[in-house]
């Protein structure tokens, strides 16, 4: 497994065909239930060993990558580049984001402690409600606001942990053979369609047209570019801080801080999202992970100090985004079964309970702004009459 994880662009490749991207997004209000927020760009990633600036020895021992995130900035994880079946464990401060159990590094089913790829296209937060999740929101360690702090009573880890398990060799071979059979049937169908329409390109309206989910210009989570309204102005810089986050400042002539302030993930608003139950027996998965990685979260000033690179701009203003008429999303999978919510994660309180009220203006999307993704939801019943 050593050396099996790679960075390609801003994607983490964990082996076994698993790709994970960390997506910047709009932070939701902590009250109410909301549609899926959009992706507004990818977080950059850098290997710890490539950083020219000061990195704590503990971080070097853990290895992995670093990612810059603003105080109270929201994110979601995209798995849409993953093509072959995989079981992906996701830890937030070594607390499982699916089950609420402490990180074990082994797959389990009671409760399920992983998401199933590629069925799960993304994860926006912890599994804390029936058909809903609580949004991932960045907060510093030491306040007790992280999921780690609230579940374990201590904050010693922070960051995000990922570990991917492929199918066992026998099951993977069976799956690939089935995919080859389905591909042959699909090619036969397309050949018949081309013959019927008499055109080399096949029937009009073929999948992958511009604007279709996943196609060029598709405005889907993690998909094509979304035109951005003007960025919100940054919060005033607190003395020695960034966006209100405290930072250690050495006295004049004194030594630099020994370590950057580590960040973790707390929770924000609630959104409609299912965490799908695995329909395979646990024995279908390999006993050996294809790859694992520790993702260290740092503030933008620390990112620049450690990597020598400027951090991304401040998060986009969510009210401006909604007023511009840009899309939100609703994902539906008619064959998927929602995993039961975690009682432990259901008790996690939002970061506003620790950091104070969120005074950022909120403009809810109008119905036309919420775009359906995935399977077509069942329509309303058609009323029969006298005829």
């Amino acid at each position: 497994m050593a050396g099996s994880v790679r960075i390609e662009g801003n994607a983490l490749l964990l082996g076994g065909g698993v790709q994970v991207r960390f997506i910047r997004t709009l932070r939701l209000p902590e009250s109410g239930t909301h549609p899926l927020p959009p992706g507004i760009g990818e977080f950059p990633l850098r290997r710890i060993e490539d950083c020219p600036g000061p990195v704590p020895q503990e971080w070097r021992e853990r290895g992995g990558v670093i990612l810059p995130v603003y105080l109270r900035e929201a994110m979601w994880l995209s798995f849409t580049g993953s093509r072959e079946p995989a079981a992906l464990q996701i830890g937030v401060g070594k607390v499982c984001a699916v089950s609420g159990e402490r990180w074990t590094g082994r797959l389990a089913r009671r409760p399920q402690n992983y998401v199933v790829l590629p069925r799960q296209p993304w994860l926006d937060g912890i599994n804390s409600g029936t058909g809903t999740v609580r949004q991932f929101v960045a907060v510093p360690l030491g306040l007790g606001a992280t999921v780690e702090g609230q579940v374990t009573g201590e904050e010693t880890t922070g960051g995000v942990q990922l570990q991917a398990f492929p199918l066992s060799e026998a099951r993977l071979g069976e799956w690939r053979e089935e995919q080859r059979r389905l591909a042959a049937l699909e090619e036969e169908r397309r050949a018949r369609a081309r013959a019927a329409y008499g055109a080399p390109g096949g029937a009009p309206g073929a999948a992958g047209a511009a604007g279709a989910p996943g196609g060029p210009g598709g405005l889907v989570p993690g998909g094509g570019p979304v035109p951005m309204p003007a960025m919100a102005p940054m919060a005033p810089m607190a003395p020695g801080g960034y966006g209100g986050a405290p930072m250690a400042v050495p006295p004049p002539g004194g030594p630099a801080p020994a370590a950057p302030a580590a960040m973790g993930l707390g929770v924000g608003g609630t959104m409609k999202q299912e965490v799908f139950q695995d329909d395979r027996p646990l024995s279908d998965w390999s006993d050996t992970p294809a790859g694992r990685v520790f993702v260290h979260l740092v503030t933008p000033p620390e990112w620049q100090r450690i990597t020598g690179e400027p951090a991304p701009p401040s998060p986009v203003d969510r009210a401006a985004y909604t007023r511009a008429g840009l899309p939100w999303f609703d994902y539906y999978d008619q064959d998927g079964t929602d995993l039961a919510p975690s009682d432990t994660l259901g008790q996690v309180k939002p970061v506003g309970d620790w950091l104070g009220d969120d005074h950022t203006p909120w403009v809810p999307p109008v119905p036309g702004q919420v775009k359906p993704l995935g399977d077509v939801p069942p329509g309303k019943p058609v009323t029969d009459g006298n005829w």
Side-chain angles (χ1 to χ4, degrees):
M1 185 175 65
S4 60
V5 178
R6 299 281 187 275
I7 297 178
E8 187 174 282
N10 292 324
L12 276 175
L13 310 184
L14 271 71
V18 173
Q19 293 189 29
V20 181
R21 290 178 173 83
F22 292 82
I23 309 296
R24 308 184 77 197
T25 190
L26 303 178
R27 192 174 74 251
L28 299 174
E30 293 176 358
S31 60
T33 301
H34 306 275
L36 298 176
I40 52 177
E42 298 173 349
F43 287 96
L45 299 168
R46 298 293 180 268
R47 300 192 314 157
I48 284 287
E49 53 263 52
D50 292 337
C51 296
V55 176
Q57 182 59 32
E58 182 183 10
W59 291 21
R60 293 197 182 277
E61 291 173 357
R62 287 174 173 170
V65 301
I66 67 170
L67 175 158
V69 64
Y70 287 83
L71 173 67
R72 270 186 163 177
E73 184 172 11
M75 69 169 63
W76 51 271
L77 278 60
S78 171
F79 318 124
T80 53
S82 306
R83 299 305 177 202
E84 293 190 332
L88 178 66
Q89 291 184 303
I90 303 164
V92 287
K94 296 188 75 173
V95 172
C96 177
V98 177
S99 69
E101 302 285 328
R102 294 200 186 209
W103 181 270
T104 65
R106 299 183 301 276
L107 298 182
R109 286 291 286 274
R110 296 184 180 178
Q112 182 176 314
N113 66 351
Y114 57 94
V115 295
V116 183
L117 309 184
R119 160 153 279 173
Q120 190 83 40
W122 43 72
L123 186 68
D124 288 64
I126 63 171
N127 179 34
S128 59
T130 302
T132 63
V133 301
R134 296 297 298 269
Q135 189 174 42
F136 292 131
V137 176
V139 286
L141 302 188
L143 301 178
T146 62
V147 175
E148 175 188 4
Q150 296 187 56
V151 171
T152 70
E154 55 186 11
E155 293 179 316
T156 59
T157 305
V160 177
Q161 298 75 42
L162 302 171
Q163 182 166 247
F165 291 79
L167 286 174
S168 66
E169 188 174 342
R171 294 293 175 263
L172 183 58
E174 293 172 0
W175 181 85
R176 286 173 174 170
E177 182 58 37
E178 177 65 9
Q179 296 308 299
R180 283 191 287 268
R181 186 185 69 82
L182 293 175
L185 290 175
E186 176 63 15
E187 179 55 36
E188 182 181 342
R189 184 195 66 78
R190 290 180 178 178
R192 288 198 301 267
R194 286 194 294 268
Y197 279 87
L219 299 180
V220 300
V226 176
M228 287 292 101
M231 291 288 182
M234 286 297 299
M237 184 79 76
Y242 193 85
M247 290 175 56
V249 178
M263 301 279 281
L265 291 180
V267 301
T270 299
M271 72 192 76
K272 300 174 185 176
Q273 185 176 78
E274 293 179 319
V275 180
F276 295 119
Q277 182 175 317
D278 189 5
D279 56 9
R280 292 178 176 274
L282 195 61
S283 59
D284 277 10
W285 301 108
S286 172
D287 294 329
T288 305
R292 70 172 196 159
V293 64
F294 194 110
V295 182
H296 303 265
L297 308 180
V298 298
T299 62
E302 293 292 356
W303 166 270
Q304 185 156 357
R305 187 170 73 96
I306 291 172
T307 68
E309 303 175 25
S314 61
V316 68
D317 180 270
R318 62 197 188 193
Y321 180 96
T322 300
R323 283 195 299 265
L326 299 173
W328 295 71
F329 302 95
D330 188 9
Y331 186 81
Y332 174 72
D333 185 334
Q334 62 183 1
D335 297 321
T337 302
D338 184 34
L339 197 63
S342 163
D343 291 338
T344 301
L345 296 179
Q347 302 303 312
V348 173
K349 298 182 184 300
V351 298
D353 286 11
W354 304 80
L355 304 181
D357 291 338
D358 179 5
H359 298 295
T360 306
W362 168 244
V363 178
V366 298
Q369 283 181 273
V370 180
K371 310 296 183 184
L373 298 175
D375 297 330
V376 177
K380 295 181 180 179
V382 176
T383 303
D384 192 14
N386 296 321
W387 47 294

